[in-house]
């Protein structure tokens, strides 16, 4: 009790309503201590920032191109298109890329394949594609006859270069895969277990027309050019497709 009274006396306000001298001294000490700690922390931050600035090649944060090049220089793998890979040819101070993977390689013209293949440091190139799918689009008949649309994948395949066939498909219903597998792949591709299950075949509407696939003959249709472009349109087919989509929509939302 005696110590408590002594503390109350020390911190008791003076007669004029001001805080005691001891209390003011403690507040002043605390302020000085916090101010000193903040100055010390600020000095340490500045020291570390100066160290980073002097020892690391950091990009200009206000220059988008500088930031992009900095990130590319520090990247271990880069995803890009064949044409945009040209930017990787001119990277300064970058670790060389030694492996190149080209997806959809059978749809990439042979001349376009040269862009990523010339990236400095490439030791191994992996081409992933399917020469039986649609090739690259070539509008010029002269270029088409000169095989300008041929891919590097197709050229190497025609020369007998060894390739690995992914012989299991996991997307098409067996009723759909039967034709391309027998006609283009010599029966070498199998259906995955997931597409062989009965629940994989979905019928949103009853009737043979709405099975896994349908061939619908639209009679009386006539193609015509669009009003503002050269694309061909067939209004009769558009009307038929619209009708089918409407029926599918009503059928799938009947229970909601």
């Amino acid at each position: 009790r005696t110590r408590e009274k002594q503390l109350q006396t020390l911190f008791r306000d003076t007669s004029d309503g001001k805080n005691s001298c001891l209390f003011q001294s403690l507040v002043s000490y605390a302020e000085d201590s916090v101010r000193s700690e903040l100055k010390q922390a600020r000095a340490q931050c500045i020291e570390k920032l100066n160290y980073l600035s002097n020892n690391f090649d950091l990009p200009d944060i206000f220059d988008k191109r500088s930031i992009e090049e900095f990130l590319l220089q520090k990247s271990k793998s880069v995803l890009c298109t064949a044409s945009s890979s040209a930017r990787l040819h001119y990277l300064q101070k970058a670790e060389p890329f030694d492996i190149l993977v080209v997806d959809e390689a059978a749809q990439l013209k042979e001349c376009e394949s040269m862009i990523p293949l010339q990236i400095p440091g490439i030791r191994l190139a992996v081409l992933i594609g399917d020469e039986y799918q649609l090739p690259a689009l070539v509008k010029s008949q002269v270029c088409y006859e000169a095989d300008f649309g041929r891919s590097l994948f197709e050229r190497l395949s025609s020369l007998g270069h060894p390739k690995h066939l992914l012989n299991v498909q996991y997307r098409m219903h067996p009723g759909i895969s039967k034709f391309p597998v027998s006609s283009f792949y010599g029966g070498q591709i199998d259906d995955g277990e997931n597409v062989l299950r009965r629940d994989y075949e979905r019928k949103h509407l009853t009737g043979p027309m709405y099975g896994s696939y349908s061939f619908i003959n639209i009679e009386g249709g006539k193609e015509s050019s669009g009003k503002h472009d050269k694309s061909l349109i067939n209004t009769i087919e558009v009307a038929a497709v619209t009708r089918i989509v409407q029926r599918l929509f009503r059928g799938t939302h009947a229970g909601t």
Side-chain angles (χ1 to χ4, degrees), residues 16 37 39 77 79 90 99 103 140 157 160 165 181 197 211:
D16 57 359
E37 291 180 1
K39 286 183 178 180
S77 61
L79 304 179
Y90 309 104
I99 299 177
D103 192 19
S140 169
S157 179
L165 176 67
V181 168
R197 295 197 301 263

Side-chain angles (χ1 to χ4, degrees), residues 169-222:
Q169 69 88 15
Y170 300 94
R171 293 194 297 179
M172 292 182 287
H173 185 275
I176 301 175
S177 66
K178 183 178 180 179
F179 169 71
V181 168
S182 61
S183 300
F184 299 104
Y185 301 98
Q188 299 181 71
I189 297 180
D190 298 325
D191 296 317
E193 293 183 0
N194 62 314
V195 302
L196 294 175
R197 295 197 301 263
R198 294 191 62 180
D199 59 354
Y200 194 78
E201 182 176 0
R202 301 174 182 175
K203 287 190 175 183
H204 298 291
L205 293 176
T206 59
M209 178 177 172
Y210 299 103
S212 299
Y213 64 93
S214 301
F215 293 97
I216 304 173
N217 181 32
I218 307 297
E219 296 183 353
K222 184 178 180 180

Side-chain angles (χ1 to χ4, degrees), residues 94-122:
E95 292 292 331
F97 296 98
D98 54 353
I99 299 177
L100 171 68
V101 179
V102 181
D103 192 19
E104 297 292 355
Q107 294 184 338
L108 187 66
K109 291 192 285 289
E110 195 167 10
C111 58
E112 294 173 331
S113 300
M114 296 300 103
I115 302 174
L117 285 172
Q118 294 186 75
I119 296 175
I122 295 296

Side-chain angles (χ1 to χ4, degrees), residues 25-41:
S25 298
L26 289 174
V27 171
S28 177
Y29 172 79
E31 289 177 348
D32 292 340
S33 177
V34 171
R35 189 179 295 110
S36 175
E37 291 180 1
L38 289 175
K39 286 183 178 180
Q40 185 178 2

